[in-house]
Amino acid sequence: MSDALPTSGRAWHLVARPHGWPEASDFALREAPVSAPGEGRVLVRNLYFSVDPYMRGRMNDVKSYVPPFKLDHPMDGGAVGEVVASEAEGFAVGDHVLHGKGWREYAEVPAEHAVKVDASIAPLSAYLGVLGMTGLTAYAGLFEVASFTEGDAVFVSGAAGAVGSQVGQMARIKGASRVIGSAGSDEKVKLLTEEYGFDAAFNYKDGPVKEQLAQAAPDGIDVYFDNVGGEHLEAAISSFNVHGRATICGMIAQYNATEPSPAPRNLALVIGKRLRLQGMLVGDHSALQPQFIQDVAGWLSSGALKYRETTVEGIENGFDAFLGLLRGENTGKMIVSLDGSR
Ligand SMILES: NC(=O)c1ccc[n+]([C@@H]2O[C@H](COP(=O)([O-])OP(=O)(O)OC[C@H]3O[C@@H](n4cnc5c(N)ncnc54)[C@H](OP(=O)(O)O)[C@@H]3O)[C@@H](O)[C@H]2O)c1
């Protein structure tokens, strides 16, 4: 045990359930008590925490695959930090760990919920992104869920984001015949073709997705990795070749909607084209973890796979980071850094 442990630390609380777009008044950064670790537990000073689109769903009081955030309780989510006190075998002060109690400065966690990570292999924030949950989502969603095979033409939406940017590059590395991406700014579109090696990319704000996709994929697509839903999914269904497969990973265009999405209106095409549209949850694919780490670590070290992160400094900017993610202010994984605080 180290002395001089903190007795309190700041933590973001959800104080009201957003209707539509989240507002600052729905959240509060409050001082919360910090206790010394109990038996078999560690106290962690968080260095980075993750803000993710799925957290918007957790702000609603609805039954889902993860329970909703409780009002007036500290919010949680992926985080990486440094152990500052340990009552758990195998964990020492100074170890870096990945765990699930983000959105706060200090986290007291059971050792079985903390995974040691190595800062000498990759920057610690990468364990929240390219080597973490979003990277595994891309890997599992492309290779396992969509059954990608060499020669497939792949379209990915949200293509400059944490998941999408990895999907497109992994498809290229594994021999896609064509990789097409859509994103929300010209700068992101340029990044896709000039740095990530996509064959074509377009800004979905420039015109109807259906027309832009048809132009970018004149021979159709075999795989669609959906991060967006709505108009994007409708366009993909139109562009699909026979026996096309879609991984339905996310539908961010709908997360703040107060009315159901009118698209896709062309679902009947699924029949004649014999399409497969399959939802996924990354948590179902943990068996792929060792293979994922081995492949991605190799691609990163050879330079075949690239990634970006958008880092927002300071816990006090946690809400702004989350809102920025929903607005598309991030390129690659959105991370909140607490490294410079306290
Ligand atoms: N099923 C799973 O297990 C699982 C796991 C992880 C993530 N996901 C899903 O995967 C998707 C991507 O997640 P991520 O963590 O990689 O986030 P991200 O793509 O890094 O960030 C979200 C991006 O969504 C885009 N966006 C926001 N509103 C949009 C709209 N109306 N239309 C089109 N694009 C919009 C923005 O980029 P632009 O500037 O391009 O608009 C923004 O940067 C999300 O839908 C998320 O829920 C699912």
Side-chain angles (χ1 to χ4, degrees), residues 48-184:
Y48 301 97
F49 71 82
S50 181
V51 288
D52 295 278
Y54 80 90
M55 292 170 175
R56 177 63 190 86
R58 296 191 65 195
M59 292 167 191
N60 302 331
D61 191 14
V62 291
K63 212 173 164 188
S64 184
Y65 59 96
V66 257
F69 290 124
K70 284 188 191 156
L71 289 184
D72 294 312
H73 281 70
M75 288 154 61
D76 51 39
V80 174
E82 179 183 4
V83 172
V84 291
S86 172
E87 291 295 340
E89 215 181 300
F91 289 84
V93 169
D95 282 351
H96 291 118
V97 290
L98 170 70
H99 62 90
K101 284 196 174 174
W103 287 96
R104 67 192 78 187
E105 288 177 304
Y106 289 94
E108 199 250 347
V109 288
E112 65 269 24
H113 294 176
V115 175
K116 278 201 229 179
V117 291
D118 190 342
S120 70
I121 294 175
L124 288 172
S125 56
Y127 293 98
L128 297 172
V130 67
L131 284 169
M133 186 275 281
T134 54
L136 180 60
T137 303
Y139 189 88
L142 181 65
F143 298 127
E144 200 155 81
V145 182
S147 320
F148 170 86
T149 44
E150 198 180 331
D152 280 343
V154 176
F155 171 47
V156 55
S157 54
V163 173
S165 59
Q166 301 308 298
V167 170
Q169 293 181 83
M170 287 174 182
R172 176 182 48 68
I173 290 167
K174 287 288 191 177
S177 59
R178 190 166 176 81
V179 179
I180 303 127
S182 70

Side-chain angles (χ1 to χ4, degrees), residues 53 137 161-163 184 188 204 227 249-250 255 280-282 325-326 328 330:
T137 303
V163 173
K188 289 183 181 182
Y204 66 85
N227 288 314
C249 174
Y255 294 174
M280 77 165 287
L281 287 177
V282 61
L325 171 80
L326 298 177
N330 61 308

